[in-house]
Amino acid sequence: MNDDTLSRELTDLLRGVAGIVDVFDAHPVVEGAVRVVAAGLDLAGSTGLVEISRRSDSVSVTAHVATELDAPTPETLARAADALRRRLAETGLTGDDVVVAVSARLVETPR
């Protein structure tokens, strides 16, 4: 499975985690903009919002989410990270060389 497919799967997975209300693009801003333009031109399929970065000795998975106000954010982030780790393990990515980071963004309610 390629990283774009895995990113889409992980994005969908996060949307199903209790307490998560949205998933934001975790890719660097310029890369995210290029992906959106490429998808709009049909040069690429729909892209996932979870960033996957591979190095020779490690894999880093980064996600940015918005959480419900009624649920404790640290617990929601822990559930999200656990869900990502389980899915990565199913694809064979396990161990100390796999780093998962999930952070919450503050989303203000419009006035």
Side-chain angles (χ1 to χ4, degrees):
M1 167 182 324
N2 69 33
D3 286 351
D4 285 335
T5 301
L6 182 57
S7 178
R8 284 191 301 272
E9 284 187 15
L10 296 177
T11 299
D12 291 341
L13 174 74
L14 285 173
R15 288 185 172 131
V17 172
I20 292 183
V21 296
D22 205 352
V23 180
F24 301 107
D25 197 341
H27 297 92
V29 175
V30 172
E31 180 182 339
V34 169
R35 287 169 167 265
V36 168
V37 170
L41 296 173
D42 274 341
L43 299 176
S46 172
T47 60
L49 301 176
V50 175
E51 181 184 13
I52 300 167
S53 176
R54 293 181 189 260
R55 292 187 172 40
S56 62
D57 61 344
S58 66
V59 176
S60 175
V61 176
T62 306
H64 299 300
V65 299
T67 61
E68 292 179 352
L69 293 175
D70 298 343
T73 297
E75 291 175 13
T76 302
L77 295 178
R79 278 194 303 275
D82 288 343
L84 291 174
R85 283 189 196 96
R86 281 192 304 274
R87 180 62 188 113
L88 291 167
E90 291 170 3
T91 66
L93 297 171
T94 60
D96 293 338
D97 57 337
V98 178
V99 178
V100 173
V102 181
S103 62
R105 290 194 182 173
L106 175 63
V107 180
E108 295 185 29
T109 305
R111 294 181 187 188

